[in-house]
Amino acid sequence: MQSRRKFIKNTGILSAGLLALQSQVFASESTIFNFPMKDFVSKRPPLAERKFTSKAIEAAIVRIKKQIANPELAWLFENCFPNTLDTTVDFEIIDGKPDTYVITGDIDAMWLRDSTAQIWPYLPFVKEDPKLRELIKGVINRQTKCILLDPYANAFYKDFSHISEWKDDMTKMQPGIHERKWEIDSLCYPIRLAHEYWKNTGDISMFDADWKKSMELVLQTFKEQQRWENKGPYTFQRTTAWATDGVPLSGYGYPVKPCGLIVSTFRPSDDSTLFGYLIPSNMFAIEVLGYLEEMFSSAKLKDAEMVRKASELRKQVEKGLQEQGIIEHPKFGKIIAFEVNGYGSFHMMDDANVPSILSLPYLGAIAADDQLYLNTRKLVLSENNPFFYKGKAGEGIGGPHTGADTIWPMSIILRAITSVDENEIKNCISTLIKTHANTGFMHESFHKDDAMQFTRKWFAWANTLFGELIVNTSINHPQILSNRDI
C-alpha cells in the first residue's frame, strides 16, 4: 500500500502495462480525423478488462470526438473521460442494494471526496443509462456506510481486514479506515452527489434510514467542529517528517475563536491547515447545507427537524464567513481569505485541490461573475499567491502537498471551467494538451519547467475532470474544439 506522499517520488514513470493498453473503439473511429493511428493508440483497457461500461458514456465519447479537430485532444478525451469507469469502480449488489466502491486510482482506498468527484461528470447521463444510474446509487450507498463507520475519516477500505499503513496514527483508527484526517469537504461531497442524483432522477430509493442517520451524523460533526463549548472529540497526530501531515498542540491544531465557522483540521489536499477555519470548505458547507434543507423540505423526504438543524447551522456558518472570511486587500480590494482563526489572523493563498478558492463557482458556492470572486481570482492566479507558478511548461496553482514549483493540471482544468473568457479557456486546454508528458492522461502535478517530471501516473479524478471540461466546452464553446491548432 502506497500513500499519496510516496507518489511524489515516482515522477515521470508509466507502467509497461498501462502503456500497452489498446482500445478497438478508438481505432474504429480513425476515419474521423485523418491522422495516423500509430501516433495516438488508445490507452484505455481492452473492453473485457474494463471495470464498468456505460452505453451513454461511450455514445458521448463518439459524439464529442466528432467535434474535436485536434487529434491529440480527441485522444486525450477518450483516454481520460471514462477512466473512472474503466479502472476504479467495483460494483455489486449487497443486501439487495447496489454498492459501488471507488478507488482513487493508484491508491487502493476510497476517499469520500474523490469518489464523488470521479463520478460527478457522469451524472448528466444517468437518464440515458439505467446501469449507470445503479452504479451511482451504489456510490451513495457505499458513502453512507463510510460516514456511519466514522464521520471524521477521509478514506476507507472495502475489505475491513486490510491493514492501513497509517494504523499507528494517534487518532481513533478502526478496521475499514485507510486514513482519518478530518476535512469538512469529506462530508460535503456525499451531500452534493446525493442532491444532484435526486435532482436528475427524482429517485429517493437509497435515502433510507441509514442514509438519514448518516446525514444526522454530518450535522452533528459540523456542530462539534464549530467548537462553541469545547474542542470536540477529534484529535490527530502522526510520526512523520512531513510538516503538513502533523497537527500541533496535542492534535487539535492551533487555537481558533468560535464564530460560527467549522474547523477543518486538514485541507482537501490532505495537508493540515495553518488556521483551522478553511474558508473554501466552509463556503462549500454553506452550499450543501442548503441542499439538505431542500431535500428534507420535499414532499417524500419531509423532515422539519432536519430542515431546522441544517438551516440554523447554515446561517451560523454564513455569519462567520461574512465576519471573518472576507478581508480587505490593499491591491485587490475585498477578497475571500483562504484560512482564518477567528482572532483576526488570516492566511492568503490558494491550493490546487478542490474545494479551493478558484473552484468555488464549480461547486455552486459563488457566481463566476461575482465581484468578490473575481477580485480573489485575480489574486490566486498571480504572483500574490505563493503557490501560483509560471514556468517553461505552463502556469497554474500547486500547493505544499507536491512541493515547490509543481503545478496541478486540476487547477488548470478548474481555471477553464470557472472562466467566462473564451480565450482563457482555449489557453488552458492548450496547456493541458502540452503537459500530459506523452502519457495520454492527466496527473496530480508536473514541474513548472518540465512536464515530464510529474506525480501520480494514475489519478482518476484529474482524468475524469478533464473529460468534464471537454464535455462542457463541446456544449458552451464548440468553436474552441473545432480549432485544430488549439
Side-chain angles (χ1 to χ4, degrees):
M1 175 57 58
Q2 296 213 36
S3 71
R4 294 187 174 199
R5 293 290 187 194
K6 291 176 184 176
F7 285 100
I8 296 171
K9 300 177 182 177
N10 298 334
T11 57
I13 299 172
L14 269 182
S15 68
L18 199 59
L19 279 169
L21 297 178
Q22 297 185 16
S23 166
Q24 294 303 313
V25 174
F26 192 92
S28 68
E29 296 296 321
S30 62
T31 55
I32 295 171
F33 299 107
N34 190 29
F35 62 86
M37 290 307 300
K38 64 182 178 64
D39 294 333
F40 295 107
V41 177
S42 176
K43 298 300 181 72
R44 296 183 67 184
L47 188 60
E49 296 178 17
R50 295 175 193 171
K51 299 290 187 179
F52 186 91
T53 302
S54 162
K55 291 181 179 179
I57 298 304
E58 295 301 323
I61 292 170
V62 173
R63 182 176 70 251
I64 293 167
K65 278 172 52 186
K66 291 178 180 178
Q67 295 180 251
I68 303 173
N70 182 287
E72 190 169 5
L73 179 58
W75 175 65
L76 282 169
F77 173 67
E78 175 164 1
N79 291 338
C80 291
F81 186 47
N83 188 244
T84 287
L85 300 180
D86 284 352
T87 67
T88 70
V89 298
D90 180 4
F91 175 77
E92 63 179 315
I93 302 298
I94 299 178
D95 298 329
K97 301 178 185 178
D99 185 288
T100 310
Y101 178 72
V102 186
I103 64 171
T104 185
D106 44 25
I107 305 172
D108 184 13
M110 176 169 166
W111 269 256
L112 292 174
R113 168 183 55 256
D114 293 38
S115 59
T116 295
Q118 288 167 241
I119 290 294
W120 181 264
Y122 306 133
L123 278 164
F125 302 92
V126 292
K127 291 179 181 178
E128 305 168 37
D129 190 338
K131 278 180 56 184
L132 184 62
R133 196 156 58 243
E134 288 299 297
L135 182 86
I136 294 176
K137 283 173 64 174
V139 178
I140 295 171
N141 287 332
R142 170 57 57 171
Q143 290 179 340
T144 295
K145 294 176 183 177
C146 293
I147 294 169
L148 292 177
L149 176 61
D150 187 351
Y152 282 104
N154 57 323
F156 301 82
Y157 295 124
K158 184 173 185 176
D159 180 0
F160 274 37
S161 68
H162 199 119
I163 305 299
S164 172
E165 64 183 303
W166 308 120
K167 61 181 175 58
D168 295 325
D169 284 349
M170 289 169 275
T171 189
K172 190 180 176 183
M173 292 294 287
Q174 302 179 70
I177 294 175
H178 169 68
E179 193 170 44
R180 193 174 189 257
K181 288 182 172 179
W182 161 239
E183 302 158 357
I184 293 173
D185 69 277
S186 289
L187 297 184
C188 292
Y189 273 107
I191 299 173
R192 187 182 198 226
L193 179 62
H195 176 264
E196 188 68 10
Y197 176 85
W198 171 64
K199 296 293 283 187
N200 274 279
T201 67
D203 182 12
I204 62 167
S205 61
M206 76 299 301
F207 300 149
D208 56 13
D210 284 342
W211 178 80
K212 182 180 176 183
K213 185 177 178 182
S214 75
M215 294 301 101
E216 291 172 341
L217 201 51
V218 168
L219 295 178
Q220 176 186 315
T221 305
F222 282 169
K223 289 291 290 183
E224 288 171 352
Q225 290 307 313
Q226 286 182 298
R227 301 192 180 182
W228 288 115
E229 298 175 359
N230 54 57
K231 295 176 183 177
Y234 175 80
T235 63
F236 182 96
Q237 295 179 81
R238 174 178 291 173
T239 302
T240 176
W242 289 89
T244 54
D245 264 356
V247 180
L249 298 180
S250 301
Y252 287 105
Y254 290 116
V256 294
K257 185 178 182 180
C259 62
L261 292 169
I262 304 165
V263 167
S264 191
T265 307
F266 289 87
R267 300 168 184 161
S269 58
D270 298 337
D271 294 334
S272 59
T273 50
L274 179 61
F275 297 135
Y277 297 133
L278 180 60
I279 298 303
S281 291
N282 272 271
M283 291 178 70
F284 192 17
I286 291 169
E287 180 68 13
V288 301
L289 287 167
Y291 296 163
L292 284 183
E293 289 183 62
E294 180 186 358
M295 294 175 77
F296 284 109
S297 295
S298 66
K300 294 182 179 179
L301 293 172
K302 201 166 188 63
D303 188 317
E305 182 61 12
M306 286 293 286
V307 172
R308 184 193 68 78
K309 288 180 179 179
S311 177
E312 180 183 82
L313 182 56
R314 180 177 56 81
K315 290 173 182 176
Q316 290 174 352
V317 181
E318 283 182 326
K319 184 172 185 290
L321 170 68
Q322 294 302 319
E323 293 178 352
Q324 300 292 331
I326 312 300
I327 62 173
E328 188 74 32
H329 190 278
K331 181 176 180 181
F332 296 94
K334 285 191 181 300
I335 62 168
I336 303 164
F338 185 65
E339 294 171 358
V340 300
N341 62 5
Y343 289 101
S345 300
F346 66 89
H347 186 30
M348 194 57 249
M349 58 167 279
D350 201 18
D351 202 318
N353 218 306
V354 182
S356 59
I357 293 173
L358 182 66
S359 69
L360 288 171
Y362 173 72
L363 297 173
I366 196 169
D369 60 356
D370 187 291
Q371 194 58 52
L372 178 64
Y373 172 73
L374 292 175
N375 290 349
T376 318
R377 182 186 177 93
K378 289 178 184 177
L379 187 155
V380 301
L381 293 174
S382 77
E383 60 185 10
N384 294 277
N385 173 10
F387 294 100
F388 178 77
Y389 301 111
K390 280 188 178 183
K392 297 175 184 177
E395 67 175 46
I397 299 170
H401 196 71
T402 51
D405 297 326
T406 56
I407 296 168
W408 286 45
M410 187 180 293
S411 77
I412 301 172
I413 297 167
L414 266 300
R415 180 176 183 174
I417 288 177
T418 58
S419 178
V420 294
D421 182 336
E422 186 173 299
N423 194 53
E424 183 177 31
I425 297 169
K426 177 180 176 294
N427 289 338
C428 288
I429 294 174
S430 179
T431 299
L432 293 164
I433 294 171
K434 296 171 184 175
T435 55
H436 65 87
N438 301 322
T439 67
F441 293 99
M442 298 294 108
H443 304 116
E444 180 184 49
S445 72
F446 62 88
H447 192 275
K448 68 175 186 177
D449 292 320
D450 183 4
M452 296 301 292
Q453 296 184 42
F454 63 84
T455 59
R456 300 191 70 180
K457 61 181 179 285
W458 178 21
F459 185 27
W461 179 6
N463 289 328
T464 312
L465 185 65
F466 172 78
E468 182 178 10
L469 167 61
I470 302 307
V471 172
N472 290 351
T473 305
S474 75
I475 297 168
N476 301 315
H477 304 281
Q479 63 278 10
I480 293 177
L481 301 186
S482 67
N483 182 357
R484 186 182 177 92
D485 298 322
I486 187 171

